[in-house]
Amino acid sequence: MSIETNEEFRPKIVAFCCNWCSYAGADLAGSSRLSYPADVKIIRVPCSCRVNPMFILRAFEKGADGVIMCGCHPGDCHYSTGNYYARRRMTLLFSMLDYIGVENGRTRVEWVSAAEGVKFSQTMNEFVEKIHSLGKNVRLEDLRCRS
Amino acid sequence: MYKIAAENLQALFQKIAADQDLYLPVKVSDQVNFKAWSEDAEVCLDTLKTVKSPKDAFFPQSENLYTCKKEEKNISIEPQALQEKNFVVFGMKACDIQGVKVLDNVFLSDPIDTFYAARRDHGTIVALACHEPEESCFCKVFGIDCADPVADVATWMIEGELYWKPLTEKGEALTKAVAELLNDADEAKVEEEKAAIRAIVEKLPYSNLSLEGWGQEDYMDRFNSPVWEELYKPCLACGTCTFVCPTCQCYDIKDYDTGHGVQRYRCWDSCMYSDFTMMAHGNNRNSQMQRFRQRFMHKLVYYPVNNNGMFSCVGCGRCVEKCPSSLNIVKVIKAFENQGGEK
Amino acid sequence: MQELINRAKELLADGTVARVLGWKAGDLPYNPEPAYFETEESLKDFVYNGFCGANLSKYMIEASKLEGKTLVCLKPCDTYSFNQLIKEHRVDREKAYIIGVGCKGKLDIERIRKQGIKGIESISGAEITDEAETLTIQTIYGEKTCAYKDAMLERCHVCKGKEHKIYDELIGESKDTKDADRFAEVEKIEAMSPEEKFAFFQSQLSKCIRCNACRNVCPACSCRKCVFDSNKFDSAQKANVDSFEEKMFHIIRAFHVAGRCTDCGECSRVCPQGIPLHLFNRKFIKDIDTFYGEYQAGEDSTSKGPLTNFTFEDVEPSIVAERG
Amino acid sequence: MQRIGVFVCHCGSNIAATVDVKKVVELAAKEPGVVHAEDYQYMCSEAGQAKIQEAIKEKKLTGVVVCSCSPRMHEATFRKAAERAGLNPYMVEIANIREHCSWIHKDMEEATKKAVILARAAIAKVNLNAPLQPGESRVTKRALIIGGGIAGIQTALDIADAGYEVDIVEKTPSIGGRMSQLDKTFPTLDCSACILTPKMVEAAAHEKINIYTYSEVEHVSGFVGDFTVDIRKKARSVNMDKCTGCGVCQEKCPSKKIPNEFNRGLNNRTAIYTPFAQAIPNVPVIDRENCLKFKTGKCGVCSKVCQAGAIEYDQQDEIVTQKYGAIVVATGFDIIKLDKYDEYAYSQSKDVITSLELERIMNAAGPTKGHLERLSDGKAPKELVFIQCVGSRCSDDRGKPYCSKICCMYTAKHAMLIRDKYPDTNVTVFYIDVRTPGKNFDEFYRRAVEQYGVNYIKGQVGKVIPQPDGSLLVQGSDLIDNKQILKKADMVVLATAIEPNPDVRKIATMLTASIDTNNFLTEAHAKLRPVESPTAGIFLSGVCQGPKDIPETVAQAGAAAVKAIGLLAKDKLTTNPCTAKSDELLCNGCSTCANVCPYGAISYEDKQVNDHGIRETRRVAVVNTALCQGCGACTVACPSGAMDLQGFSNRQIIAEVDAICR
């Protein structure tokens, strides 16, 4: 992919954030004015364990170029154990996506606490950059959704 | 009667594909199905049965009907264009051709299915006689002669040469278009081949299956027979039989939300599925036995009753080979045969 | 087989069981079907041979709802599925009388056909009692032979073993048929470049006709209503209109059975398009083994499954990118 | 179709400086379902809220989207405002266009575009929202304390003082627990019994406290505010009302050779016994396994000597069923078994003892009447070696990975007391680290070293070898001087790791309270909810949650009491309506959801269902909304999608995904 098209390319990125840590971490990034690209849109979920693999595939189907899930650090889950289940689910799902040839940089999990506004912003910057380097998602999209 | 050497078939395909789409048996990941021809396609004319029947050349597994576009609060509708380009289906077997006739009765009678009709109009069928019929074949039961298929063009593959015989105007036109690749041939070899094939057909285990009692109007005894209750039991309610069948014509209409509007499309449905003909009030067949019975009653009774005795089964034997539970229409026919007095 | 029939008759006669779930001889040499037998007389059609590949555990979901006990014939690998179904409360152990039947590897008619054998009239060597290493096949086009091994289902080459994990009694000997590494194919794919992986699966999945045979035959896919048939996720699909839908269906199906799939291989056996569906399930099994410790679903009927369990030290999802 | 109103906040210039608010209003108005859209300077102000309320009434809104700051800031504000206007509060959603948009983006066009998309996602969600009603459940104003040690006693006293009925269930014949076995307590060196006994008496005398000793919890059902518990009162064989506690039965009992548990088996007790002199209740029990009357049918001495006629050989276990609003677990600890630590020769020599045994030896009521002597020959030891971290901080599976926390301090205490009372006895302590965080702890330890001359050696002991002359050879290392040490000792004391009471696993299962790999009960949040179990209505007191000393235990006991009181003070509990809900027609009854539920909120019922004409009885999941906290783990575990989360349903989240990606 040429540099020119990369400049044009504005990725669609969905971020699932748990209500208790990561969403609050994103809020802190906001109140600390720590910027990250507008390509990232956050969906609030009660816990990372609420994130169904079907949501992630759905995002890709509808044209997302990257999906990131953020939750409380292992051990700090508001519901004690939610992120442990989420961690296993996502590990397996990501491994499967990698296995069928979807670029593994398109999916990511990051544990972000309510105090980690800096980490949230950094993570999003990194992730967007990664998606830029990968370009448009073409392996997991439904062509009918192209505008 | 013409012929072309097998090694020149690639040239023939190139020639046809130059100005039409060409569908023929192609191997992809070890399985042969009818696919659009391309330069590097692995064409498998010696495959007796493609996994799926070639019916989707005329009645694709899914096809768009129209598209709704949504802009702000306005909705505009774009109808789907009908088939406009000519195409050739190459290598269809006699049973599958009969399958298309079964579909014709449904889709070309009033109200005409315009999508299907357009495809039929633009499609030319090049039939290929069966060379080595197999034990699961029972086309003979339905009066089909796999040695002498009837289509726009009939062909036979004999000792490395494809014999070519146009039978219709469309067939003549195609023949003319590829004339430079064809040589004249006499029919003696073809007659010989036909006789050989027919001799094999006689030996097939299912060739003498009796359809007595099927295709008749007074079917309530059969409908109410306790035999169904036993027969359906292994059925897993999958759609394999339906989706490999050359005659199944049921479809479902669905909407897909593209984010900018809706695509309304239809796709094959299976009477074996629990949501088949599901309506607001529920389902009129809510047990697998009923769904199973519907499948075979339709193929062997309702369809022939409504279509001058033409059965909605062509004996291709795909369901015999593919059913995960080894159920099939032959077992159904035989079960009633064994019932004797039951009619 | 006679011993099995005799025992079934006894158990029917003394009222221990109300019916027998086994296989009925088909009308071709290779197509016996799963069947219920309720009388001693009906057992004349009972058959148990190399073509009886179907995993009858799945049928026990329905049979558990019937009055009385069902005698069910389970091969060693089928018993894993049965255990898993007990764990998920989908079958009733009390409603089953399990006869663990011996197995010397099950046959795949597609593999025989792939060798160019057609017009099959009879097959000898497929009986369970046969010690033959070779199948002799009478066809319209002459007599053919085929090594038993070459006609075996893929799953039998990576057999989990001769041991029945749950049973009331055992009849018949089993044979060790394992001659391949269970994860070799998965590893081969893992070693490919992303482009090659994608091309491989795209080509395989493009054949999928969404007949749902893989799902419906699967003892782990025992949902009353599949998400792909319901509006719960706005995910109902009947056809793969776009190539995305093929992937969605097969990834989610494999995910839903991850940690529950016993690798019984029924999905690959029944796929009319010969898609090696086990490659999805086995990938998850391999990952689970590597990440969370060896786990065999159906080994028992009580242990916690890997996706309903965790440890504090589990690997992070980034392992996928890190291992390259 | 919903009738949605969209309200876009300027937040002064916080939003409006980077987001074209008017543009957001204009584009949001075109989204499906939107019938009203407006903007305002400060939506959260009275006037702003009034605008929302007005629009709800005038435009008959069924849903509201507020594009403003984070929902963590004002979701509650806007939901309450909507509720006052007659709209179900759960029909309000927030699009966070401040923290997640205006504050982090600089380009107006870009920020506006994103704000529109965020609004769109919220609108798409509201289109699928449904009114939710919080449920109510009643609270039984009575607490159960499991365990009658200092933790349980303190929690019981605090709850009872607040005016609520409390039952203590104690497994042994007396309350008092581990603390009653201790001699002195660090760092003040006051006598354990002197400070514990008054608490025990106070608990026994408290009109709101009812003590079940020699009793165990048998079964627990119900949920927060409404637990039903079966308590098994084991047959004591002594009538508690008649017994005067005179002790004659114990004097006369002929079975005298039974290892005395209270003294860690260092001496013997009788078959009819009270564990210790200050036991509460002061009523003996007959140990039926060792009683001649029960073993052989002969004897009956106690019955003959009992003036009060309190002996009842035919007593049966009794099950008491009681309802509780809150349950506090205070099951305490034991020390680990030392069978995996053979190198310390614990099983080979009577003079190798645990610290808890030393407590009994030092205690005036103990087996040696408080004299420090070797158990092998009764001689006073001149060389004493303490070995720290026996089974604690252990990296293999012989011991425990955690620090037992109390050992450093009690060893300093023991060392100091011995040096004080027996100045001619040398005391050596082998340690890995000395950990003394706590008020006056380090001072205390330094006193032991500096003032009392206790010899601390940093290093581990490899072996203790009993010598033919009856002494012990301690083989250790000195890490500071980097040398091997061979030391003759007369007595070796092992600071043995503590572990949760082994019964706790059974109890945790009954309570569906989670437990960690070391069998400590898990707190609801490691930092913010340290005395609550993740299971609502279950509280944690004392060492059952993790190693603690006495003051920490008492502090936590009080904290647990406050939490329990907070619960009991309510007449009704309002339950979070964003709970999981199972569609029983889709449920497979597979239990996968229940297996991941941290709250034990999912149970299974056999229900008669009508599934499109098929009538059958099915095992289906039922969510107890009083217990469900709405995490959603079950919804993903459920393969068929039968389990969904209200307020964050599958289709709502998918609608948001779609809106963002389109």
Side-chain angles (χ1 to χ4, degrees), chain A residues 12 19 27 40 44 50 58, chain D residues 70 72 75 650 658 661:
Chain A
K12 290 178 183 171
N19 183 50
D27 280 358
V40 178
R44 184 165 69 126
R50 178 69 190 91
R58 176 79 169 205
Chain D
S70 172
R72 296 168 54 84
E75 187 176 66
N650 291 324
D658 286 6
C661 296

Side-chain angles (χ1 to χ4, degrees), chain C residues 77-136:
Chain C
C77 55
D78 303 342
T79 58
Y80 289 82
S81 309
F82 195 85
N83 259 342
Q84 187 63 28
L85 285 164
I86 293 178
K87 192 187 287 186
E88 293 166 13
H89 305 273
R90 302 292 276 130
V91 296
D92 186 348
R93 178 66 182 95
E94 298 307 308
K95 287 284 190 73
Y97 187 93
I98 302 169
I99 293 194
V101 293
C103 179
K104 58 167 196 166
K106 292 297 165 214
L107 298 164
D108 184 357
I109 187 64
E110 291 298 330
R111 289 205 174 205
I112 295 173
R113 289 205 184 102
K114 279 269 158 5
Q115 296 177 31
I117 298 170
K118 50 181 145 180
I120 298 165
E121 290 173 317
S122 70
I123 299 176
S124 71
E127 287 310 310
I128 198 70
T129 42
D130 281 332
E131 281 306 318
E133 298 280 322
T134 311
L135 298 171
T136 309

Side-chain angles (χ1 to χ4, degrees), chain D residues 638-661:
Chain D
C638 176
S640 66
M643 197 58 94
D644 210 345
L645 186 62
Q646 300 181 97
F648 291 94
S649 73
N650 291 324
R651 295 190 64 225
Q652 282 175 307
I653 296 173
I654 282 172
E656 289 179 89
V657 169
D658 286 6
I660 288 172
C661 296

Side-chain angles (χ1 to χ4, degrees), chain A residues 10 12-14 16-56 58-60 62-64 75-82 85 89-90 114 120 145, chain D residues 14 70-73 75 79 93-96 98-101 103-106 110-111 113-114 117-118 125 514 522-527 529 534 595-599 629-638 643-645 648-651 653-654 656-658 660-662:
Chain A
R10 290 308 303 257
K12 290 178 183 171
I13 292 169
V14 178
F16 291 100
C17 290
C18 85
N19 183 50
W20 305 98
C21 289
S22 310
Y23 194 91
D27 280 358
L28 181 59
S31 48
S32 318
R33 312 298 198 274
L34 298 164
S35 86
Y36 52 87
D39 308 319
V40 178
K41 315 284 189 306
I42 295 170
I43 294 178
R44 184 165 69 126
V45 287
C47 176
S48 53
C49 69
R50 178 69 190 91
V51 178
N52 195 308
M54 291 185 81
F55 300 161
I56 290 171
R58 176 79 169 205
F60 284 125
K62 298 291 171 180
D76 288 346
C77 175
H78 179 78
Y79 307 99
S80 306
T81 53
Y85 295 117
R89 290 167 183 160
M90 292 306 134
F120 187 86
C145 298
Chain D
N14 277 309
S70 172
R72 296 168 54 84
M73 188 76 92
E75 187 176 66
R79 284 188 165 170
E93 294 289 340
I94 310 293
N96 184 346
R98 193 178 74 174
E99 283 85 343
H100 293 185
C101 187
W103 274 353
I104 46 168
H105 305 314
K106 293 198 173 66
E110 205 173 86
K113 244 190 204 163
K114 178 169 172 181
I117 292 173
L118 294 177
K125 186 180 183 192
S514 50
T522 315
E523 56 278 18
H525 191 283
K527 284 104 196 169
R529 296 171 67 193
N595 289 338
V596 298
C597 178
Y599 307 104
Q629 304 292 308
C631 69
C634 54
T635 61
V636 183
C638 176
M643 197 58 94
D644 210 345
L645 186 62
F648 291 94
S649 73
N650 291 324
R651 295 190 64 225
I653 296 173
I654 282 172
E656 289 179 89
V657 169
D658 286 6
I660 288 172
C661 296
R662 89 176 186 234

Side-chain angles (χ1 to χ4, degrees), chain D residues 468-479:
Chain D
D469 66 355
S471 67
L472 299 157
L473 188 65
V474 179
Q475 217 173 62
S477 55
D478 182 331
L479 292 177

Side-chain angles (χ1 to χ4, degrees), chain D residues 389-408:
Chain D
C389 291
V390 176
S392 298
R393 305 171 72 195
C394 178
S395 52
D396 59 38
D397 59 1
R398 295 197 304 164
K400 305 291 177 185
Y402 50 83
C403 166
S404 294
K405 200 170 185 181
I406 53 175
C407 325
C408 286

Side-chain angles (χ1 to χ4, degrees), chain B residues 29 31 133 135 234 237 239 331, chain C residues 30 59 141 203 207 211 216 273:
Chain B
S29 285
Q31 302 288 321
E135 72 281 3
K331 283 187 177 172
Chain C
Y30 53 77
Y59 290 89
Y141 306 105
S203 162
K207 296 183 294 181
C211 66
N216 292 15
Q273 289 281 28

